[in-house]
Amino acid sequence: MPAVLAFGAWLKNAACLLDGGDAQWSPVHGDLGDPEACRALDASVRRLAAESRRPPAGVAHDLHPDFFSTRLAVELAAAWGVPAVPVQHHHAHIGVVMADHGLQEPVVGLALDGVGLGTDGTAWGGELLWVAPRDWRRIGGLWPLQLPGGDVAAREPWRMAASALHALGRGDEIEARFGPAVGAPAARAVQRMLAAGLNCPVTSSAGRWFDAAAGALGLSVRQAHEAEAAIALETLAAQHLAQAGVPPRRDLVDPHALARLDLRPLLARLLDATEPGEAAAWFHVSLAEALADWAAAAARETGTRTVCLGGGCFFNAVLTAQLGARLASHGLRVFAPRSTNCGDAGLALGQAWVAAQQLAT
């Protein structure tokens, strides 16, 4: 396989040089919105290339054209006279798992995270993929939610809960439900924004569904740190599961609609819940079973028995354990990152692996 130098993700950026089965990593630079992180990435990729046993045959980067990492990759590829290979974010997450375990057969991939640019130009983050070493396709995604206010919605889970209410046809409840916590004018503005579709890009992000669930249960209004709401939801679920065991699941989601897994029924129950701990546990168990049944249906359709799990949502131990057990009950082999970070800090390995497969053809 050719040596490939990958430039990593926007968040928690790290670069990786993959030469055969040997991966050489840079330090984690941080988020590329920070100029210092950009300078560190520049220095790291030049050092990795200089120290490589053989010159890189290509470089790999994210699809997003405006990322510093993309611009740098294209610039250095031209200077070195090698191809620059764009790799879709969630394809790369599954590539991490395949590289980590040396998988060469086609797999079904569940890539769950906060955000990554999709091939259709929208924000992806809850993706069901079919991936082979030299080919891939998107089978389906989670039901899309609007992001009222754009990126600010990722920092304010109440907005995602409001978006879920709107998606359920209950948008007229937004002001009354969230006005006491955020102020009536802000809640009213979001209600109107969603109704008009104004500054409300859509996303299939699993991370935003977790935010919506946390917002629906009143666990988080505004996040001071990334994934704060999802962690609060997971903590509450774990506490309930330890004390009361696994709550019964009701079949509210049709996992056989491969193009879209509709999670709105799960949020409807959370929005009307009276016991947050039980509701948080039920959400995790029901989501895991719906995801597993969705992936199992895709495995049957594509003729594979292997499922790979990638993306930052798999830092959630409750989700990962419940999902793994359910997938195993379908008779599927399940793989997750073994020696590599499942989130964006490990993404460069998947980028490099995907590009190496393409360049080897």
Side-chain angles (χ1 to χ4, degrees):
M1 296 297 291
V4 174
L5 180 56
F7 286 55
W10 174 262
L11 299 176
K12 307 176 194 69
N13 175 271
C16 179
L17 174 70
L18 184 63
D19 190 351
D22 184 25
Q24 300 294 324
W25 286 91
S26 75
V28 176
H29 306 119
D31 300 349
L32 294 183
D34 179 357
E36 187 55 42
C38 295
R39 285 189 286 270
L41 172 61
D42 192 336
S44 286
V45 293
R46 293 176 190 274
R47 183 178 65 254
L48 285 169
E51 295 175 354
S52 177
R53 293 174 299 180
R54 52 181 176 155
V59 302
H61 60 84
D62 192 83
L63 282 187
H64 203 299
D66 298 329
F67 285 177
F68 172 80
S69 52
T70 299
R71 297 196 303 268
L72 179 63
V74 171
E75 174 190 325
L76 291 182
W80 297 339
V82 299
V85 180
V87 181
Q88 198 278 325
H89 186 92
H90 301 96
H91 183 196
H93 271 310
I94 303 306
V96 169
V97 187
M98 297 180 76
D100 216 357
H101 292 273
L103 300 176
Q104 287 296 312
E105 74 270 21
V107 306
V108 165
L110 271 175
L112 309 179
D113 64 1
V115 67
L117 181 66
T119 55
D120 59 1
T122 65
W124 291 5
E127 309 309 315
L128 183 65
L129 309 177
W130 175 85
V131 181
R134 294 173 184 170
D135 195 12
W136 77 288
R137 63 184 172 89
R138 186 195 198 200
I139 298 171
L142 297 183
W143 189 275
L145 284 176
Q146 291 178 283
L147 295 163
D151 289 345
V152 69
R155 300 189 295 273
E156 298 186 2
W158 78 269
R159 289 178 181 252
M160 295 313 305
S163 181
L165 267 177
H166 175 77
L168 286 162
R170 296 168 56 182
D172 57 354
E173 300 176 27
I174 291 173
E175 182 179 350
R177 186 178 188 101
F178 298 106
V182 303
R188 190 181 310 121
V190 164
Q191 182 172 324
R192 291 173 176 170
M193 197 181 298
L194 286 163
L198 179 65
N199 191 19
C200 290
V202 298
T203 181
S204 58
S205 167
R208 301 293 79 78
W209 277 102
F210 273 94
D211 289 347
L217 293 177
L219 301 180
S220 178
V221 175
R222 295 180 178 87
Q223 302 189 81
H225 307 286
E226 184 188 5
E228 184 179 277
I231 291 169
L233 187 72
E234 178 194 359
T235 300
L236 193 60
Q239 291 170 349
H240 182 87
L241 289 170
Q243 296 167 0
V246 177
R249 174 193 174 211
R250 292 186 298 179
D251 291 314
L252 298 176
V253 175
D254 178 9
H256 302 292
L258 292 181
R260 287 288 182 218
L261 183 63
D262 188 355
L263 301 184
R264 291 178 297 174
L266 302 187
L267 263 292
R269 175 161 175 178
L270 262 62
L271 286 160
D272 298 328
T274 57
E275 209 293 296
E278 190 276 338
W282 180 87
F283 176 78
H284 278 78
V285 170
S286 299
L287 175 61
E289 293 198 3
L291 289 168
D293 293 352
W294 192 37
R300 288 191 297 272
E301 182 174 281
T302 59
T304 182
R305 303 305 299 165
T306 303
V307 176
C308 293
L309 310 178
C313 287
F314 291 109
F315 285 121
N316 184 317
V318 175
L319 174 70
T320 303
Q322 293 287 332
L323 178 56
R326 180 70 179 186
L327 287 168
S329 76
H330 282 285
L332 297 167
R333 296 195 307 158
V334 184
F335 293 93
R338 175 175 52 189
S339 59
T340 309
N341 186 293
C342 70
D344 283 1
L347 192 76
L349 174 62
Q351 291 176 336
W353 182 86
V354 169
Q357 304 294 325
Q358 292 181 14
L359 293 172
T361 57

